[in-house]
Amino acid sequence: MKGIILAGGHGSRLRPVTYGTSKQLLPVYNKPLIYYPLSVLMLADVTDILIITTPSDLPAFERLLGDGSWLGLHLSYAAQDQPNGLAEALIIGADHIGDEHVALVLGDNIFHGPGFSQLLRKHPADMAGCVLFCYPVSDPSRYGIGEVDEYGNLVSIEEKPTNPKSNLAITGLYFYDNRAVDIARNLTPSARGELEITDVNRAYLERGEAKVVELGRGFAWLDAGTQESMLDAGQYVRTLEERQGIRIACVEEIALRMGFISAAQCLRLGEGMRNSPYGQYVMQIAHAPAE
């Protein structure tokens, strides 16, 4: 399975801070926002990842992440000239995807919960269709909402419904089989002139090939797209990290645990940040005995 992180857009809800940088490069507590969706793909055992961003922001992402080899990954980059919709990521990434499945994650989404890696790795091997990850919300009229049957199959999708049929919001994490590229290429732009990811999902729904995974109790899903939500996300991460003594979305630790890099490589990465608590944590886990 190939991975795509869509980290484009103008970040208009975060202005003026996003006049100078991409929102996905802003800090959520002690790490850049893009570390969080990157960690999701790593936990899913996806190591070949395309990062799509704006032409002006692309060099900054390359400076931050490079070619990914320091994490045992292969990272490549592509530009989205205008925010023409989430589904355009599948078209831009067509050559990257090739004939494989694809995991698409939005660059401002944060996921955290117990057993998340096992849950992510459960689906790609035998996947036919799409897998959508849903999260129960208290205000479903603000989201795209999925209605599911007793077997976890998607029955309907409603965008910001007045009378929602469920409280399951469709998050910014999508697993698709290879047909998603052709589906995206044949979409008609919506009234707002964008290629909508919801229309891709509906295409699978109409074929009876859309499955839902509910992220229930113990999981957190945060969309860090506004000043308030970014602050809330930072406070959530800080609280858990300080109380539990762990790091959320520490990409160096994930690379080590997943076997992408060795303990010696992890130690070197930590030593390069030894003056920060984050770097000291990376050094600590590099010295820790293997679990």
Side-chain angles (χ1 to χ4, degrees):
M1 175 176 274
K2 299 292 185 70
I4 295 178
I5 302 175
L6 183 55
H10 298 309
S12 57
R13 293 181 295 167
L14 285 163
R15 287 176 177 167
V17 287
T18 48
Y19 278 128
T21 188
S22 166
K23 69 177 176 181
Q24 287 87 6
L25 296 174
L26 295 174
V28 173
Y29 186 42
N30 54 8
K31 61 191 75 71
L33 174 54
I34 196 171
Y35 273 34
Y36 295 88
L38 177 60
S39 73
V40 171
L41 296 181
M42 293 172 68
L43 288 171
D45 202 18
V46 176
T47 58
D48 194 347
I49 299 167
L50 176 69
I51 297 172
I52 300 175
T53 187
T54 66
S56 59
D57 290 323
L58 197 151
F61 283 97
E62 289 182 315
R63 285 194 301 272
L64 174 67
L65 298 171
D67 65 2
S69 58
W70 56 286
L71 292 173
L73 307 177
H74 179 266
L75 300 182
S76 53
Y77 301 85
Q80 184 184 39
D81 294 329
Q82 297 293 329
N84 294 323
L86 305 184
E88 189 181 40
L90 297 168
I91 301 172
I92 295 171
D95 289 342
H96 168 72
I97 296 168
D99 58 0
E100 296 193 36
H101 299 333
V102 60
L104 171 64
V105 61
L106 304 187
D108 59 2
N109 274 218
I110 297 172
F111 298 86
H112 179 251
F116 195 32
S117 181
Q118 291 82 357
L119 181 65
L120 292 170
R121 284 181 282 169
K122 175 182 177 182
H123 298 281
D126 57 352
M127 189 176 69
C130 77
V131 177
L132 306 177
F133 293 81
C134 291
Y135 186 82
V137 294
S138 59
D139 48 354
S141 61
R142 293 179 51 211
Y143 301 91
I145 295 298
E147 178 190 9
V148 302
D149 63 19
E150 60 184 309
Y151 303 106
N153 298 309
L154 193 63
V155 175
S156 69
I157 301 174
E158 296 180 287
E159 281 296 323
K160 299 181 179 179
T162 303
N163 298 301
K165 297 177 182 177
S166 85
N167 68 337
L168 292 179
I170 299 173
T171 71
L173 175 62
Y174 318 90
F175 286 0
Y176 295 115
D177 68 14
N178 193 255
R179 292 172 293 169
V181 175
D182 286 335
I183 291 172
R185 282 174 170 156
N186 288 292
L187 291 180
T188 299
S190 65
R192 59 178 184 168
E194 296 188 3
L195 300 179
E196 306 287 353
I197 202 70
T198 296
D199 290 336
V200 176
N201 298 336
R202 282 204 179 99
Y204 282 104
L205 169 62
E206 291 168 359
R207 301 175 185 187
E209 296 176 340
K211 183 177 178 59
V212 163
V213 174
E214 182 177 347
L215 304 175
R217 291 176 66 94
F219 277 89
W221 168 56
L222 303 166
D223 177 355
T226 67
Q227 284 95 343
E228 293 80 7
S229 60
M230 186 165 278
L231 180 61
D232 289 343
Q235 291 173 333
Y236 171 83
V237 172
R238 179 186 178 187
T239 297
L240 281 186
E241 290 193 353
E242 290 192 350
R243 289 184 179 177
Q244 298 183 3
I246 50 87
R247 292 290 182 270
I248 296 172
C250 176
V251 292
E252 296 86 356
E253 179 176 18
I254 295 170
L256 175 62
R257 305 297 187 215
M258 295 292 294
F260 302 159
I261 61 174
S262 67
Q265 290 172 304
C266 185
L267 180 60
R268 285 195 294 272
L269 294 175
E271 287 173 340
M273 303 178 285
R274 63 169 60 248
N275 291 332
S276 73
Y278 183 94
Q280 292 159 14
Y281 176 81
V282 173
M283 294 171 64
Q284 175 187 329
I285 60 102
H287 284 300
E291 294 181 356

